[in-house]
Amino acid sequence: MKPTIAFFAFFLLLAGTANAQEDKRFGVEFNGGLSVATQTLDDTRLNPGFGFEGLLHYRILPHAGVYAGWGWNRFGASESFAGPDVCFEETGYVFGLQFKHPLGDTRMRYALRAGGLYNHIETENAAGDILDDTGHGLGWQVAGGLELPLGENWCLLPGLKFNSLSRESGYEGIERELNHRYVSLRLGISTRF
């Protein structure tokens, strides 16, 4: 968790130095919402889950930029290879490219993202004990949505996101390929500076 705090502190410090610029290139975003698995996780049917992300943006060109941050998603399961009443938590880092463009003559913009994940999947029992941890590995995500202005520097962000992560689990000495794919309906807020 300490690298995550250091990561955000570095970008907030960097963003503070950018306040003197008239052209606002930095942004911070927090989003969260409902997540639904698009397939079983090693024959485990996942219940709808929820999660959130914290992201930092940097605009490189008028409509294109990069983003990076940290995310967490949790899915429960009544029955699974790890027993009854467990949950699967996917946490880690996100990074990628984004494209934002105005919708006609309005201040609204549509946003598209494509990027990578460096995440892991933890299996936890009902008491919160970690039964298995896959270790971090690479995956990918795509997302799209709208930016609805709430003032000069603030926006409301409704959107959809698709994450895909494949990791190996060695729970109780049995190797399993966990292909975790899900769609998220997200609502967020962002500010530029």
Side-chain angles (χ1 to χ4, degrees), residues 150-169:
L150 293 176
E152 186 176 336
N153 297 321
W154 291 88
C155 290
L156 188 64
L157 309 166
L160 284 173
K161 176 182 78 163
F162 179 81
N163 274 19
S164 176
L165 178 68
S166 294
R167 304 297 303 139
E168 289 184 7
S169 167

Side-chain angles (χ1 to χ4, degrees), residues 6-163:
F7 175 78
F8 281 110
F10 169 75
F11 276 100
L12 288 174
L13 179 63
L14 185 61
T17 64
N19 279 338
Q21 298 178 6
E22 275 189 52
D23 190 20
K24 296 179 178 162
R25 292 183 173 268
F26 288 93
V28 175
E29 172 185 332
F30 295 98
N31 68 63
L34 177 70
S35 299
V36 178
T38 60
Q39 66 183 51
T40 59
L41 190 64
D42 188 55
D43 295 329
T44 298
R45 183 179 169 93
L46 299 176
N47 300 330
F50 60 92
F52 65 87
E53 283 180 340
L55 303 172
L56 298 164
H57 313 166
Y58 180 73
R59 187 174 51 80
I60 299 170
L61 299 170
H63 301 294
V66 294
Y67 68 94
W70 186 83
W72 174 85
N73 278 278
R74 181 181 191 273
F75 293 85
S78 301
E79 293 293 330
S80 75
F81 61 84
D85 198 20
V86 298
C87 69
F88 297 89
E89 291 188 5
E90 177 198 358
T91 60
Y93 304 94
V94 296
F95 52 90
L97 302 173
Q98 65 185 12
F99 177 80
K100 297 180 180 181
H101 197 274
L103 287 169
D105 293 334
T106 69
R107 291 182 53 218
M108 291 190 309
R109 298 189 302 175
Y110 68 88
L112 302 173
R113 290 184 177 151
L117 307 169
Y118 187 65
N119 289 2
H120 68 129
I121 302 169
E122 291 179 348
T123 305
E124 295 183 4
N125 63 19
D129 300 322
I130 297 174
L131 304 174
D132 183 58
D133 186 343
T134 63
H136 283 77
L138 293 174
W140 58 273
Q141 79 172 196
V142 292
L146 294 174
E147 281 193 351
L148 308 172
L150 293 176
E152 186 176 336
N153 297 321
W154 291 88
C155 290
L156 188 64
L157 309 166
L160 284 173
K161 176 182 78 163
F162 179 81
N163 274 19

